[in-house]
Amino acid sequence: MIGVKDLEPCLSQQWFVHGYQKLERNLLLYRFGLPPEPLSHVERTSLTRFSQAVIAGASEWNNPRAGTARQLCQYAADIEASFAISSTSSYEAAHLSLLKAILLYDLAGLPGASSTYAGRNDIDPRLQDFFTRAKDSLWGAMSSPDAARSRLRGIDGHSKAKIDDLLNRAIGEAVQEAGLSIQLGRNGLAPSKAIRLLAGLAADFVMPITGDDLLSLATLIELRTENSAQSILRKHSSVAAENARHLALPVEFWPAQVEAIESGILSDEYKSFGLASPTGTGKTALTKLVIADTLAKHPGKKVIYLCPSRALVRQVANDLANSLKGIGAVVIEVGAHLTVHERIPQSSDNADVLVFTPERADLLLRVDPDFLAATSLIIVDEAHHIEQTQRGVLLEFYLWRLRRLVPGSARVVQLSAVAPNINQLTDWLGPAGKTKSLMIDSRTSKLRVGILERGRGGSAILRFASSPPYTLISEDLPVDPRRGLALLAHHLSQHGIVLVLCTSTGAAEDIAKLVAELREVEQDTSDEASQKLDAWIERELYAECPLREYYSKRVLYHHAQIPPRVRTAIEDAIRSRKADVICATTTLAEGVNFPFSTVIVESLVGRNYQISPRALWNIAGRAGRFGIDTEGHCILYRPELWAEKLENYSLEDYLRTKLADIPPVKSALATGIMKLKHMVETGRLSQDVLTTVPLSNIKIDNKITSDAREIRALINIMRVGYAHASSSGIIDFEDDEDDEFTLGFLASRQLTSEGRAYARHLSTQQRFVVRSATDDNADLMQIAARVGWSLETQRNIYNWLSTREDWQIEQFSNCVVGGAVVNFDRLGYMLGPVAKNLLAFEGSELGGFTSFIATKWIQGIPLSSMDQSDFGKLVATIYGRIQYLLPWGLFGLHELIEHEASQRDLVTGTGVRDLSALASEGVPNFDALQLVMQLNIERVDASRLSSKFRSRRRDTDVLGWFYNAPWSEIERAVQGSDRRRIDPTLKIIYSNKP
């Protein structure tokens, strides 16, 4: 047997180093559509012998997917792949080289590259299914026995390459039988024995496919049997095989998934578990299994799933709902129902899994203790966001309290693609000896980060690490950065989908326009994804929006000033591969999976922000997705234009692609405390300004700077966190020994001893402020704890409310009666003061403009009818501020009204609380809210339908009316007097009657 130690010395010898560099370069030249460079006969012969030696030995190695063995298999696979794409010999020779490459990539644990090449090769369809893991094949997802048998292919498929047909058919039959055996939970070794028997026959005859090739195939089948979901679940999980099929778990777990399972991610022994592994290593499927396993072991218990953004919440909730419904689990994306349980059927009461952002989760912490008491699992996705300034501080304070409010038996599982110090993140959320973390620094396909420079004569020159440069465009790359970027994106889109990461919304739209101008082809847009996108752009933006024209050229842009539904339709079009170039801000890049081949970064430095190496690595991980590319590319465009503006990092820090090389995740709480300490010690800020409830005097050098806003947010979050911690019994304001900054926070593990001392002083100070502000009235402490807004906001709004007449308070409390807003003209009298006094944590207020727009929003009026010259600002105001802050403020106002009414002996209604739910979704009544939340009907359509429903004699609820009314009546209702275009998805919803 040829062992790993026999071959390892080859890797450092000159003949291998020089020869492999040429072959690796040829693979990249092929990717860029450039001609390959020739190899000498000696080089080709030497590398062929090396590859054959690896194939001959790999089937006998203990684990070809680990250490040097994995490296040897990958090198040999690259060699064979390069031979296949640059071969000047026969079709048969190229075909067989590619088959060897496919085998070797899979042996190396690089299924992404293996799948991509298999999809391009003309091999037996049954073998192609084996390597591509096609979803509808035996090698895709687990399925029922009948469904598995229905996936058996006939034996008429054969390769165009002139391989012995009988052998080819026999191999296909054996591979297919192995797939069926694994699906049915039988031992898959018998089919591998058949392959080994065929290998013996191949060795006795002169055949194109060798016995060593077949032995490698047999080894792969054995690895898949060993790592099959059936096998792994029997050993480590409580999920029954039938439920695993309902979950559509993969037939075979990938190496990272197996390692995580064997390390204890499913084990109740570890109360805190952390997993850091690159994008594309199977964390999504693993998460579904963790949830299903928890629900199987603890029936009736609940799961909390935290995501960093609303876009990711939407995707995760939809994916989990589709996957878990087969096992009877209810998944809810958290919305208005947190504060109005009895009026909305969907609530946390009947949910098994709640998915939300930390902001929404913080509200649950305050208003639904029953759910917390039943919680058995908390999943923190994209856990590295704990270092993101205000949101990171909020997340850390939230997890600190959550860990103490849920049962001690509950587990916390944190996931990240870019947290090399996952052990630190894990340890602070579990008791000593009950935590486990795992960092896996390998991907299913390779990733390269390079630099694009503009050379002499306008050439576009790409450099990866120390390898020779590649001339992608020989001349005429425009000097203008955006025009040059557009030309590069257009050029690279010939070889895969390109994401252009832009520094601003304006840049995204400008570059998309420039790319579209370079393209002549117009695509067919009659498909469902295209029709939905076109309709939603017209309905929710405006008919003349240039995005419609760009899309016909297979170009899109995506940013935060586009309504969420339109962004969703854009994302669906990307997944359907209806776009070649997407120009986007970071709204598209984080956490969401798309089939990008290349990511081009306009600049790492934008206006008032800088992309960190961690953020870039996370974005770069979107490139080179499974089965689409053999490797992903991230290109930094012309760093000479912006590199000198980088702070704290050098350009070289961004070119590393190893997880271990990324800087460790830092607690935003620790960073904020040290920044505050520095500002105080240098005299730029007085500690005394932190002792008053109003924080408007927090200024740096007498200016309200970004640092001043960060400090204001830090103090406000600390205060509301302490208010809730006190009211829920986590801390005792009277106990001087109650010191959370010893071990309670992640920050406490990262601060210096001097930093911890200052943090304890700051903590004592802020606890005193909270206690003093509410000493005179214990009810106000409970309201602050329950609502979670700043003490400053509560004081301002309560001061305004306490000066209102009794009749005004009664009128406010009855603004919603019978589930509908009573008088929109009067809403401004309440919304105006609330918007003026409601402050975000960093100190910004909603303002008068917001209250004016909010009224129209709640009426269910289309955005395009709101008469605003700056449409982007309108979208940002509604979806970035009104939908997030206003419901929160109205919920708090309701609490204060109830308190004030009890002081005055008034009888009040729940109208303000109800209005908070309507404001969350932008609808005028609860019938419309029900259509939005239960059927996912767009808010304007839901508002118009509810108006039609409420105008009729009602002998059913709104859902019954909707499904039983004639389609013509539904159509007329939603078209309205402005003849609004019909949403294509509405007819689908209508047709799917229960």
Side-chain angles (χ1 to χ4, degrees), residues 930-931 949 956-965:
Q930 194 172 2
L931 292 172
F949 165 69
T956 181
D957 66 2
V958 68
L959 298 184
W961 169 81
F962 172 75
Y963 281 124
N964 290 293

Side-chain angles (χ1 to χ4, degrees), residues 255-463:
Q257 294 169 322
V258 173
E259 189 172 353
I261 293 170
E262 292 181 343
S263 296
I265 196 170
L266 302 178
S267 173
D268 282 350
E269 177 184 354
Y270 300 114
K271 301 308 175 187
S272 179
F273 191 98
L275 173 63
S277 65
T279 301
T281 49
K283 292 191 292 295
T284 300
L286 199 56
T287 301
K288 294 175 185 177
L289 175 59
V290 171
I291 294 173
D293 185 74
T294 298
L295 296 178
K297 287 188 291 192
H298 308 289
K301 296 297 184 180
K302 309 288 187 177
V303 176
I304 292 174
Y305 195 119
L306 295 176
C307 298
S309 69
R310 279 169 283 178
L312 193 55
V313 164
R314 196 174 304 115
Q315 178 187 320
V316 167
N318 287 338
D319 288 349
L320 287 179
N322 290 332
S323 298
L324 299 177
K325 65 182 179 183
I327 63 171
V330 177
V331 179
I332 291 180
E333 173 189 346
V334 171
H337 56 272
L338 267 184
T339 58
V340 191
H341 288 187
E342 71 276 10
R343 298 303 298 268
I344 304 171
Q346 280 192 328
S347 76
S348 55
D349 293 340
N350 57 24
D352 298 293
V353 184
L354 289 186
V355 186
F356 37 24
T357 61
E359 292 86 353
R360 290 287 194 186
D362 192 69
L363 184 56
L364 175 75
L365 201 68
R366 302 168 190 280
V367 303
D368 201 341
D370 291 341
F371 191 96
L372 297 178
T375 297
S376 60
L377 175 66
I378 301 148
I379 294 178
V380 185
D381 204 355
E382 308 280 335
H384 52 275
H385 279 269
I386 203 165
E387 73 175 2
Q388 269 201 350
T389 56
Q390 175 181 325
R391 301 192 79 189
V393 176
L394 183 67
L395 176 60
E396 188 162 346
F397 256 87
Y398 169 74
L399 291 174
W400 167 63
R401 288 173 289 144
L402 180 64
R403 178 74 269 188
R404 285 153 181 78
L405 290 174
V406 298
S409 58
R411 304 181 65 232
V412 180
V413 174
Q414 297 185 77
L415 306 170
S416 174
V418 285
N421 59 327
I422 188 66
N423 59 322
Q424 263 194 338
L425 274 65
T426 304
D427 288 348
W428 81 281
L429 286 174
K434 297 291 185 179
T435 68
K436 184 70 175 288
S437 61
L438 181 64
M439 185 179 77
I440 301 173
D441 200 357
S442 63
R443 292 169 50 92
T444 57
S445 58
K446 289 182 288 186
L447 172 68
R448 298 179 194 269
V449 180
I451 292 173
L452 193 288
E453 300 170 345
R454 188 176 186 274
R456 292 181 179 178
S459 58
I461 300 173
L462 177 62
R463 301 181 187 276

Side-chain angles (χ1 to χ4, degrees), residues 483-723:
R483 290 187 178 276
L485 187 53
L487 180 61
L488 177 66
H490 171 63
H491 177 80
L492 291 177
S493 69
Q494 301 171 63
H495 313 291
I497 301 176
V498 176
L499 168 65
V500 181
L501 188 68
C502 304
T503 55
S504 66
T505 59
E509 295 188 15
D510 287 348
I511 296 169
K513 178 177 183 291
L514 293 169
V515 176
E517 290 173 350
L518 295 171
R519 304 168 74 87
E520 296 180 358
V521 63
E522 291 198 5
Q523 66 172 328
D524 176 26
T525 57
S526 61
D527 60 284
E528 182 179 321
S530 298
Q531 286 295 300
K532 181 175 73 173
L533 174 58
D534 189 69
W536 288 10
I537 291 172
E538 180 181 337
R539 286 160 49 86
E540 301 189 43
L541 288 168
Y542 47 95
E544 301 78 18
C545 180
L547 189 57
R548 300 174 76 184
E549 178 188 351
Y550 301 165
Y551 180 64
S552 69
K553 303 288 186 70
R554 299 183 64 83
V555 179
L556 288 167
Y557 59 78
H558 184 291
H559 53 65
Q561 292 187 5
I562 296 174
R565 276 172 57 88
V566 179
R567 293 205 300 264
T568 299
I570 289 172
E571 292 160 11
D572 289 343
I574 296 170
R575 292 189 187 95
S576 299
R577 304 195 190 182
K578 296 291 292 184
D580 296 328
V581 179
I582 300 92
C583 303
T585 57
T586 53
T587 56
L588 185 69
E590 181 114 345
V592 184
N593 297 334
F594 295 108
F596 300 132
S597 298
T598 304
V599 175
I600 307 175
V601 181
E602 179 189 10
S603 172
L604 293 170
V605 183
R607 185 177 180 181
N608 300 323
Y609 79 92
Q610 176 177 309
I611 296 175
S612 68
R614 183 182 341 282
L616 177 70
W617 209 79
N618 207 26
I619 292 165
R622 310 297 136 199
R625 306 300 294 192
F626 180 84
I628 296 166
D629 299 290
T630 56
E631 59 183 46
H633 292 166
C634 178
I635 300 173
L636 307 182
Y637 186 75
R638 297 188 63 187
E640 72 271 14
L641 300 175
W642 45 261
E644 64 181 17
K645 299 177 186 177
L646 288 172
E647 297 180 0
N648 302 321
Y649 301 106
S650 67
L651 186 61
E652 289 68 30
D653 292 328
Y654 292 88
L655 301 179
R656 299 170 181 151
T657 58
K658 292 291 186 183
L659 178 55
D661 293 335
I662 300 175
V665 175
K666 295 181 180 179
S667 157
L669 178 58
T671 301
I673 288 172
M674 292 306 293
K675 179 180 289 187
L676 174 57
K677 178 175 180 289
H678 174 73
M679 295 295 180
V680 171
E681 290 176 347
T682 56
R684 301 178 67 193
L685 179 70
S686 170
Q687 185 83 28
D688 292 340
V689 302
L690 307 180
T691 61
T692 61
V693 170
L695 295 175
S696 55
N697 288 328
I698 294 182
K699 298 177 182 178
I700 306 299
D701 300 330
N702 293 317
K703 296 178 182 178
I704 301 178
T705 63
S706 59
D707 284 340
R709 293 189 185 94
E710 284 184 23
I711 290 172
R712 189 169 180 174
L714 168 67
I715 299 301
N716 272 323
I717 294 170
M718 289 183 72
R719 288 177 177 180
V720 299
Y722 287 142

Side-chain angles (χ1 to χ4, degrees), residues 751-768:
L751 288 167
T752 63
S753 57
E754 289 184 357
R756 282 194 296 274
Y758 179 76
R760 285 192 286 270
H761 168 69
L762 180 65
S763 168
T764 301
Q765 180 192 60
Q766 296 311 310
R767 291 184 189 200
F768 179 79

Side-chain angles (χ1 to χ4, degrees), residues 44 80 83-84 87 89-100 161:
R44 188 179 182 92
E80 293 294 344
F83 287 165
S87 175
S89 56
S90 65
Y91 167 86
E92 287 80 1
H95 171 87
L96 287 170
S97 287
L98 199 53
L99 181 58
K100 292 176 189 292

